[in-house]
């Protein structure tokens, strides 16, 4: 059992939860994820990227968006409550080295898993630019944390309510066109955003990594549900990833697979709310969809 | 085959038993006794529920079946058993009605008879060399050893379970068992009996490995696996669930820093193979591991209560001919599919699945398309499975393994409509532990290399089960576990 130490609501539908998990806190590295179950009898296995960890306190932090029944149930847990299962750290850590100029691009909730990678890249001596994108001002998360680590922070919103009115791909393209072309780009966010980040950097030959959050059950290589085509070869996100060369990912195939259970899930989500959900964030499925599935995961 | 109307079987057996109890049976009499069919749920009923298919022998049936045994002095059946159960010994006691005595004999070498009696491929093991079967010219006419084993184990469970094995006084030595499948549970029990402290590390939320995530409820009730794990706990074995050795904690750390004197690796095969044909990443294509894990471990068959969804399937194709293919096909029926086809490149004779499972699947309405294998998964413009392009085969000359190899028939490709494809063509080794454990020697397929005592290249580390054998069976994993446990106990004695 893993006790919940604290819970903070970062925006309407985004929560930050700190969980006791001493072994995971000690072993985890930037880029790795955990699988969480609120209930081991009937609950889903929810893959969530580790946003932060404190080995001394023996805790890890996850940041997630409530887009389905399982993440809603997770958000309902209070400090002092326990999760019935937390498995991890899973996946390969991000390969960190001194590349030179690094650009981290985070969209929506994707900023959370990006933060430890940004920190590690900075610590390795890279010049770090961070682009944070959100649909609207209220959905911008971890601004202060990113500002603390980045040499340069660019904030964009779709509706222009905060920062520049643009998609993340616009400043990214400008950076690629400039005199100081990035040596590495790491993009984490909704699949469609990562796809267009890859398309933005491709003409400039800038190495670009994306962290994928596909449907998975076990997270240890056993089910193959997370498979994705990388440069024409089938790879498992859980054991071969979660990070891959964004220029090699079959984005359209991946997005199709992410929608496999959409009908069933929308139905379950609707029932959950009609049954009287305590959370006031009655985010419509469409809205959740716009932000992408990132960190909802769910074994789906 | 193998099934029968429960009431008829029971009353026929009662009458026959009353008759034979009056006389001393000669071998000729024994050979004339009818093979006792397994009472089963009616196929039309069971295809729509998750309850166990085979209901188990009645007492009279067990007595008659046991009376068929010729008590051969050379006992060829024992040599066919991976854990060398004294088969004539326990069967002889069943014939006399001493079921507790029979259970004691089985427990000497097999800790999990309720499981083995249900899932062992007896027709390829103990029942294959049976003298009676050979005399009657059919392995299906051999003494039904597995059914008798199950009868004895179930009877004992109903009477309150097996007596707790005696545990020696604490030695102060500690053993880490990685994986809680059949190999790991066997090692844990044997090592704990010698007085060593045992901790089992399991990545999933429940113990049992393939017996929980893979083998369905209708073939192996999960209550049995739970009981076995609970028994180990009562013996003092500790389970660390949700712990992936190699990620949560490196194996080397367990040995060097956490004070374990020895470790056993029994992590299973655990990496599904695909066919490597176009269209395999379309929505609606699943590995059998994924499909069965959703249905079994995550209990997605209970749509009301389980949060994990399962794909709504109407026309299902299962690719492969092993037990996992049978389990997938039968599960798909139970989850509401209208039509389930098993596609296999050879014929029924070459199928690796247990004969009983194939028979059960056929009775339940699974369609077998033999000499057929897909060359492509077809999909809609939305990326969703619409069918298979299927090639027909004929059997050619026997290959190196002695099996006649399938030869594709040119121009035979044809399209068949399906909405779901389940790939059950086996597993490869999960590379995680080898990757994170320096010095652990593996072959090029990733199987952990061991000596005749299951010892790996690393000091103090043994391995067994599917991670050594490749995808095999529950009982072979248990056999390896027993061998490893004996070696670990000997090693710790000298340490």
């Amino acid at each position: 059992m893993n006790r919940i130490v604290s819970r903070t609501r970062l925006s309407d539908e985004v929560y930050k939860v700190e969980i006791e998990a001493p072994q995971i806190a000690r072993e985890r590295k930037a880029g790795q994820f955990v699988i969480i179950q609120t209930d081991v009898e009937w609950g889903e296995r929810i893959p969530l990227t580790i946003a932060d960890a404190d080995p001394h306190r023996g805790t890890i932090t996850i940041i997630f968006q409530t887009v389905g029944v399982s993440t809603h149930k997770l958000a309902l847990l209070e400090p002092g409550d326990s999760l019935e299962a937390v498995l991890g750290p899973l996946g390969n850590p991000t390969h960190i080295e001194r590349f030179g100029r690094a650009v981290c691009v985070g969209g929506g909730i994707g900023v959370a898993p990006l933060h430890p990678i940004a920190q590690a890249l900075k610590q390795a001596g890279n010049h770090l630019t961070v682009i944070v994108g959100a649909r609207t001002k209220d959905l911008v998360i971890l601004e202060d944390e990113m500002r603390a680590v980045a040499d340069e922070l660019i904030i964009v919103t779709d509706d222009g309510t905060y920062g520049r009115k643009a998609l993340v791909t616009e400043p990214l393209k400008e950076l690629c066109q400039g005199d100081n072309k990035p040596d590495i780009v790491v993009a984490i966010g909704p699949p469609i955003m990562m796809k267009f980040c890859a398309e933005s950097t491709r003409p400039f030959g800038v190495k670009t990594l994306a962290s994928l959050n596909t449907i998975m059950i076990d997270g240890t290589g056993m089910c193959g549900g997370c498979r994705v085509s990388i440069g024409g070869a089938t790879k498992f996100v859980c054991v071969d990833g979660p990070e891959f060369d964004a220029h090699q990912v079959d984005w359209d195939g991946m997005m199709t697979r992410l929608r496999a259970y959409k009908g069933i899930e929308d139905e379950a989500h609707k029932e959950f709310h009609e049954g009287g959900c305590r959370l006031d964030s009655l985010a419509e499925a469409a809205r959740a969809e716009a932000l992408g599935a990132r960190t909802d995961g769910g074994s789906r | 085959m193998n099934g029968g109307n429960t009431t008829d079987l029971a009353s026929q057996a009662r009458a026959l038993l009353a008759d034979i109890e009056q006389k001393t049976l000669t071998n000729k009499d024994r050979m004339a006794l009818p093979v006792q069919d397994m009472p089963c749920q009616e196929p039309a009923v069971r295809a729509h529920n998750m309850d166990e298919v085979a209901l188990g022998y009645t007492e009279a049936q067990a007595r008659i079946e046991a009376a068929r045994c010729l008590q051969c002095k050379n006992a060829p059946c024992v040599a066919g058993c991976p854990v060398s159960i004294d088969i004539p010994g326990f069967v002889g006691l069943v014939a006399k009605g001493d079921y507790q005595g029979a259970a004691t004999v089985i427990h000497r070498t097999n800790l999990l008879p309720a499981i083995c009696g249900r899932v062992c491929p007896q027709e390829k093991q103990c029942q294959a060399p049976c003298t009676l079967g050979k005399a009657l010219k059919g392995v299906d006419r051999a003494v039904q050893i597995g059914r008798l084993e199950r009868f004895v184990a179930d009877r004992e469970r109903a009477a309150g379970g097996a007596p707790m094995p005696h545990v020696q006084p604490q030695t102060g030595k500690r053993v880490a068992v990685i994986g809680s499948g059949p190999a790991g549970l066997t090692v844990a029990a044997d090592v704990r009996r010698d007085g060593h402290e045992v901790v089992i590390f399991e990545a999933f939320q429940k113990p049992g490995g393939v017996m929980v995530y893979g083998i369905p409820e209708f073939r192996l009730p999960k209550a049995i696996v739970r009981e076995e794990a609970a028994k180990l706990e009562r013996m003092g074995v500790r389970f660390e669930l949700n712990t992936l050795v190699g990620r949560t904690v490196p194996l080397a750390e367990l040995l060097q820093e956490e004070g374990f004197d020895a470790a056993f690796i029994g992590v299973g095969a655990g990496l599904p193979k695909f066919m490597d044909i176009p269209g395999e990443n379309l929505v609606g294509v699943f590995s059998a591991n994924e499909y069965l894990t959703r249905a079994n471990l995550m209990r997605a068959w209970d749509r009301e209560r389980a949060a994990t969804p399962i794909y709504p399937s109407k026309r299902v194709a299962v690719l492969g001919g092993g037990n996992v293919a049978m389990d997938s096909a039968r599960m798909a029926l139970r989850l509401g599919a209208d039509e389930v086809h098993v596609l296999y490149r050879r014929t029924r004779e070459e199928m690796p699945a247990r004969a009983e499972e194939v028979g059960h699947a056929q009775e339940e309405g699974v369609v077998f398309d033999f000499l057929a294998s897909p060359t492509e998964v077809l999909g809609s413009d939305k990326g969703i499975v619409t069918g298979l392009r299927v090639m027909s085969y004929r059997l050619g000359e026997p290959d190196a393994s002695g099996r006649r190899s399938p030869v594709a028939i040119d121009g035979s490709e044809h399209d068949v409509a399906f909405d779901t494809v389940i790939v059950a063509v086996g597993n490869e080794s999960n590379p995680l532990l080898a990757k994170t454990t320096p010095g652990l020697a593996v072959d090029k397929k990733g199987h952990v290399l061991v000596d005749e005592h299951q010892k790996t290249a690393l000091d103090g580390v043994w391995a067994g089960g599917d991670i050594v054998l490749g995808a095999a069976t529950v009982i072979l994993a248990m056999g390896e576990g027993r061998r490893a446990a004996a070696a670990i106990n000997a090693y710790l004695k000298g340490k």
Side-chain angles (χ1 to χ4, degrees):
Chain A
M1 299 285 263
N2 302 72
R3 208 169 58 87
I4 290 175
V5 178
S6 69
R7 180 186 62 175
T8 320
R9 192 168 184 167
L10 297 186
S11 77
D12 223 23
E13 39 186 42
V14 176
Y15 291 79
K16 175 169 135 180
V17 174
E18 188 182 5
I19 305 161
E20 274 180 4
Q23 277 180 312
I24 301 172
R26 201 176 60 215
E27 290 293 327
R28 76 95 207 193
K29 294 191 177 66
Q32 291 187 297
F33 63 98
V34 287
I35 283 187
I36 282 175
Q37 278 185 286
T38 53
D39 155 21
V40 296
E41 286 305 321
W42 301 103
E44 261 185 302
R45 295 170 65 88
I46 314 170
L48 293 166
T49 311
I50 303 168
D52 200 0
D54 185 338
H56 302 294
R57 279 161 61 87
T59 61
I60 58 166
T61 299
I62 51 164
I63 295 178
F64 61 93
Q65 185 180 5
T66 52
V67 295
V69 174
S70 298
T71 41
H72 267 107
K73 285 187 175 164
L74 183 57
L76 287 172
L77 296 176
E78 315 253 354
D81 289 345
S82 286
L83 293 167
E84 293 193 0
V86 180
L87 171 68
L90 301 170
N92 296 305
T94 307
H95 173 70
I96 301 289
E97 64 170 64
R98 186 169 176 170
F99 295 99
R101 302 188 79 85
V103 176
C104 286
V105 187
I109 191 77
V111 177
L114 190 65
H115 180 241
I117 297 169
Q119 275 180 317
L121 284 168
K122 181 66 196 166
Q123 270 164 20
N126 291 287
H127 177 276
L128 179 67
T129 302
V130 175
I131 304 172
V132 167
R135 215 160 30 76
T136 186
K137 183 179 186 215
D138 290 346
L139 299 176
V140 173
I141 57 166
L142 302 184
E143 181 186 348
D144 294 343
E145 287 84 348
M146 282 301 198
R147 196 176 298 284
V149 65
D151 294 295
E152 180 190 15
L153 177 68
I154 302 167
I155 294 180
V156 298
T157 50
D158 294 4
D159 61 2
T161 46
Y162 194 53
R164 195 171 145 186
K165 183 175 192 291
L167 298 172
V168 291
T169 45
E170 291 171 40
L172 177 62
K173 200 174 284 177
E174 289 160 16
L175 288 167
C176 291
Q177 285 162 338
D179 295 336
N180 296 311
K181 202 169 84 167
D183 298 295
I184 182 92
V185 170
V186 182
I188 308 185
I192 192 75
M193 180 209 96
M194 294 193 282
K195 175 184 171 175
F196 282 105
C197 284
E199 292 318 319
S200 302
T201 58
R202 195 193 301 273
F204 302 96
V206 173
K207 182 176 173 174
T208 303
L209 296 177
S211 175
L212 310 187
N213 189 8
T214 49
I215 290 171
M216 61 177 72
I217 300 192
D218 61 298
T220 67
M222 216 263 319
C223 81
C226 63
R227 65 193 188 277
V228 58
S229 178
I230 307 290
T234 294
K235 298 282 180 190
F236 289 4
V237 170
C238 65
V239 290
D240 298 317
E243 278 161 28
F244 294 99
D245 180 344
H247 296 149
Q248 300 290 320
V249 174
D250 171 11
W251 291 105
D252 295 339
M254 178 190 143
M255 285 188 272
T256 301
R257 288 184 62 77
L258 273 172
R259 287 192 291 268
Y261 295 98
K262 192 149 184 343
I264 301 175
E265 276 177 336
D266 287 350
E267 193 61 29
H269 195 186
K270 203 167 133 236
E271 272 174 36
F272 183 75
H273 281 294
E274 283 167 357
C277 166
R278 283 205 288 117
L279 290 182
D280 45 338
S281 62
L282 292 168
E284 297 80 10
R287 210 171 143 199
E289 179 66 6
L291 269 164
R294 180 102 222 146
T295 59
D296 165 43
S299 38
R300 306 190 300 190
Chain B
M1 64 165 288
N2 293 323
N5 178 292
T6 310
T7 328
D8 291 351
L9 289 172
S11 62
Q12 284 161 14
R14 266 198 311 275
L16 182 56
L17 183 65
D19 184 36
I20 61 172
E21 272 183 324
Q22 309 300 319
K23 51 186 182 186
T24 311
L25 297 176
T26 63
N27 273 0
K28 205 175 155 196
D29 293 333
R30 292 180 193 280
M31 287 175 68
L33 292 172
V35 176
Q36 295 298 297
D37 283 338
M38 176 60 99
C40 288
Q41 281 196 72
E42 289 299 324
V45 175
R46 72 188 191 226
H48 303 288
N49 70 42
M50 208 55 70
D51 299 338
E52 192 171 13
V53 166
L55 301 171
Y57 276 163
T58 63
E59 183 178 357
Q61 282 190 291
R63 297 271 305 274
I64 295 166
E65 189 59 42
R68 298 180 64 234
C69 174
L70 303 177
Q71 294 289 319
C72 313
K73 287 277 176 295
N74 61 343
C77 48
V78 178
C81 173
V83 296
S84 308
I85 294 175
D86 175 5
I87 292 165
F90 98 79
V91 172
L93 289 168
V94 173
K96 288 185 193 137
D98 180 2
Y99 311 123
Q100 192 48 56
T104 307
V105 170
I106 294 174
H107 280 303
R108 270 189 233 135
T109 50
N110 187 355
L111 303 156
L112 307 167
I115 294 172
C116 296
R118 286 172 165 82
V119 303
C120 270
Q122 290 97 2
E123 76 268 20
K124 289 179 189 154
Q125 296 177 351
C126 53
Q127 290 170 202
C130 171
T131 311
L132 185 66
K134 291 206 183 304
L136 297 175
K137 304 205 178 346
V139 71
D140 55 337
R141 272 160 276 180
V143 177
Q144 301 297 300
I145 300 163
R147 294 171 183 177
L148 288 172
E149 182 184 26
R150 169 183 164 160
F151 170 80
V152 170
D154 284 359
R155 195 145 174 121
E156 187 182 45
R157 284 173 58 231
M164 192 58 65
H166 179 68
V167 174
Q168 298 287 331
Q170 292 284 359
T171 61
K173 308 268 172 54
R174 304 180 73 213
V175 178
V177 173
I178 305 160
S180 68
L185 294 185
T186 303
V187 170
D190 278 4
V191 170
R192 179 69 195 127
R193 285 206 276 205
D194 265 28
H196 309 302
E197 187 185 330
V198 177
V199 181
I200 302 182
F201 296 92
E202 166 58 48
F204 274 140
Q205 68 268 29
K206 290 178 183 174
V210 72
M211 299 182 289
V212 170
Y213 74 74
I215 303 177
E217 177 77 17
F218 57 80
R219 201 150 77 78
L220 177 61
K222 300 311 144 209
I224 295 175
V225 183
R226 272 201 302 278
E227 282 165 27
E228 297 301 342
K231 192 158 85 187
L232 285 175
E233 280 189 313
R234 286 201 301 278
M235 286 169 67
V237 171
R238 200 152 59 80
F239 284 92
E240 288 277 353
L241 302 176
N242 304 301
T243 304
L244 181 63
V245 174
R247 284 281 187 225
T248 312
V249 55
L251 175 58
E253 195 177 308
L254 289 178
L255 294 165
Q256 286 151 22
E257 290 165 40
E258 302 212 2
F260 285 97
D261 300 283
F264 173 79
I265 301 172
V267 296
L271 204 71
K273 275 191 220 169
F274 287 89
M275 302 274 293
D276 211 12
I277 56 175
E280 252 180 325
N281 291 343
L282 291 169
V283 171
V285 183
F286 304 92
S287 74
N289 282 0
E290 179 181 357
Y291 194 76
L292 291 172
T293 301
R294 283 176 184 275
N296 297 326
L297 178 74
M298 307 311 293
R299 301 161 88 183
W301 53 269
D302 189 331
R303 290 197 174 86
E304 292 299 307
R305 287 191 283 178
T308 304
I310 192 118
Y311 199 69
S313 307
K314 289 298 165 200
R315 280 185 60 86
V316 178
V318 178
L319 313 180
N323 289 321
V324 177
M326 299 305 109
D327 287 344
S328 305
R330 298 171 71 196
M331 182 61 86
L333 275 184
R334 283 159 175 77
L335 291 172
D338 295 331
E339 203 168 315
V340 180
H341 289 243
V342 170
L343 275 69
Y344 183 55
R345 224 151 51 106
R346 306 182 196 224
T347 68
R348 171 149 181 180
E349 282 63 51
E350 291 81 22
M351 272 178 103
R354 288 179 74 205
E356 186 166 301
E357 309 310 335
V358 181
H360 281 162
Q362 278 179 327
E363 288 170 2
E364 289 165 13
V366 172
V367 181
F368 285 82
D369 299 338
F370 292 115
L371 296 166
S373 185
T375 54
E376 185 179 347
V377 184
L378 308 170
S380 69
D381 54 0
K382 289 186 172 148
I384 294 166
V385 170
T386 56
L388 288 174
R389 181 151 296 159
V390 179
M391 177 83 87
S392 300
Y393 288 77
R394 61 181 175 78
L395 284 185
E397 296 304 308
D399 62 13
S401 71
R403 293 197 301 182
R404 292 180 64 190
S405 45
V407 182
I409 300 171
D410 284 340
S412 67
E413 279 182 306
H414 54 287
D415 294 351
V416 188
F418 291 108
D419 56 38
T420 304
V421 176
I422 302 172
V423 186
V425 296
N427 278 280
E428 294 174 316
S429 320
N430 192 318
L432 180 65
L433 206 53
K435 206 167 79 178
T436 57
T437 309
L440 185 69
V442 297
D443 70 13
K444 62 178 189 295
K445 286 184 166 172
H447 300 139
V448 174
L449 293 169
V450 295
D451 68 12
E452 70 274 23
H453 303 293
Q454 308 295 133
K455 171 82 170 48
T456 70
L458 280 176
D459 275 352
V461 180
W462 285 258
D466 280 3
I467 191 62
V468 169
L469 295 164
T473 61
V474 167
I475 188 68
L476 286 174
M478 288 183 188
E480 297 223 312
R482 297 225 74 165
R483 209 155 44 235
I488 292 169
N489 285 336
Y491 168 81
L492 293 178
K493 198 169 265 177
K495 206 177 165 189

